[in-house]
Structure formats: structure tokens, C-alpha cells
Amino acid sequence: MITENQIHLHATAKTQEEVFSTIAEIAVQNGIATDAERVMAGLKEREAQSTTGFLDGFAIPHTQAETITQPGIIVVRTEQGIDWDSFDDQPAFFFISLLIPKEEAGSTHLQALAALSSALMDDEKRDGFLQAQTARELSENINLAIIGDDN
């Protein structure tokens, strides 16, 4: 669900809107979605329902839309934290975004979200995400976290 091209480790975004814009642009550039504005709108709509801010600087913004053509994960890491209304009231700087086609909303979306949430609760996996120095290393860590050790 993620390749090196879907990771931006040194984003300059300073607001939630800028993070959503970066995610949407990467999605369109990589053929995951056909309409960046619709992806942004979906991310904003989901965030308005309840925060996607997790713990320890992580957030998992996600959306489903007709303009998303294949499931994908986009990662954006910012140099400075952004207020995200996270569960621990700390700024977020590491955004793992799930983009899911509307027709896969009940299956792919929930499985990937559960796997990512679990990985972020696991100290070793979370540390692996944080310590990754390259997009390749991070994509391998995330794919392993989603697919699991058994496959």
C-alpha cells in the first residue's frame, strides 16, 4: 500500500491544511487519486468528525472517496509539530494517511487502520517508524506493520 514515492520525510507544512494539501498532491502524483481537492475535502470532513491525532506526535488522517482509485498510504513528516488536537495534547509531526476507494471502505480501510493503530501502540514498531532515515526504510517498516510478520 506504500512505496517510497508516497513518503515525504522533510515537509515544510505548518498547518493542518498544508499537511492535507501535501497528502493530496502526493496521492494524485502517484495515481492513488484523481482529484486533490476532493482528497483534501475528505480529509477535512473526517477530521471534523473527531481527531485523527494519536499519541507521541503521530496522526492518522484518512478518507474514502470516489476519486481515490486504489488504496494507498501517504506519509508526511514535518520538521516542527502541528497542533492536531491529539489524544495526548501534543503537536503531531508524523502523519500516516490512509486513502481508500469508496467501494473498499468497510474492508481495506478498517483492516489498514487497525494495523496502523496497533503498530503505533507497539514501542518497537513505533520506534522503527521514528528512526527510519530513508523513505525506503520507512516504507518497508510500514508495509511490514500492515502485512504482518507471518506473510
Side-chain angles (χ1 to χ4, degrees):
M1 288 184 74
I2 186 167
T3 66
E4 295 171 51
N5 295 335
Q6 294 162 230
I7 297 174
H8 191 333
L9 294 177
H10 304 287
T12 58
K14 292 179 177 44
T15 65
Q16 197 173 73
E17 176 102 8
E18 290 175 357
V19 170
F20 290 160
S21 177
T22 302
I23 290 167
E25 289 170 18
I26 293 170
V28 170
Q29 289 168 358
N30 286 277
I32 294 168
T34 58
D35 184 338
E37 287 184 26
R38 182 62 200 120
V39 171
M40 279 187 65
L43 291 168
K44 288 179 191 177
E45 288 168 18
R46 171 57 188 86
E47 199 68 36
Q49 294 172 8
S50 66
T51 186
T52 60
F54 206 67
L55 303 168
D56 299 323
F58 285 89
I60 310 175
H62 52 281
T63 190
Q64 312 145 16
E66 294 84 11
T67 61
I68 297 172
T69 58
Q70 64 184 21
I73 296 174
I74 308 291
V75 174
V76 174
R77 187 168 70 186
T78 59
E79 298 295 324
Q80 58 183 327
I82 296 171
D83 182 26
W84 209 270
D85 194 26
S86 298
F87 296 142
D88 60 2
D89 293 322
Q90 296 301 307
F93 63 90
F94 202 110
F95 308 94
I96 305 173
S97 182
L98 291 170
L99 304 176
I100 305 296
K102 199 73 151 171
E103 63 273 6
E104 295 183 40
S107 57
T108 306
H109 178 247
L110 295 177
Q111 291 166 356
L113 187 58
L116 281 174
S117 296
S118 246
L120 292 178
M121 297 299 289
D122 180 298
D123 291 340
E124 187 176 322
K125 289 178 182 172
R126 186 178 63 249
D127 288 346
F129 293 173
L130 289 169
Q131 294 170 7
Q133 296 298 308
T134 66
R136 181 179 188 159
E137 185 180 357
L138 183 56
S139 69
E140 289 171 357
N141 288 343
I142 291 174
N143 279 320
L144 184 60
I146 291 174
I147 296 168
D149 299 332
D150 300 333
N151 297 334

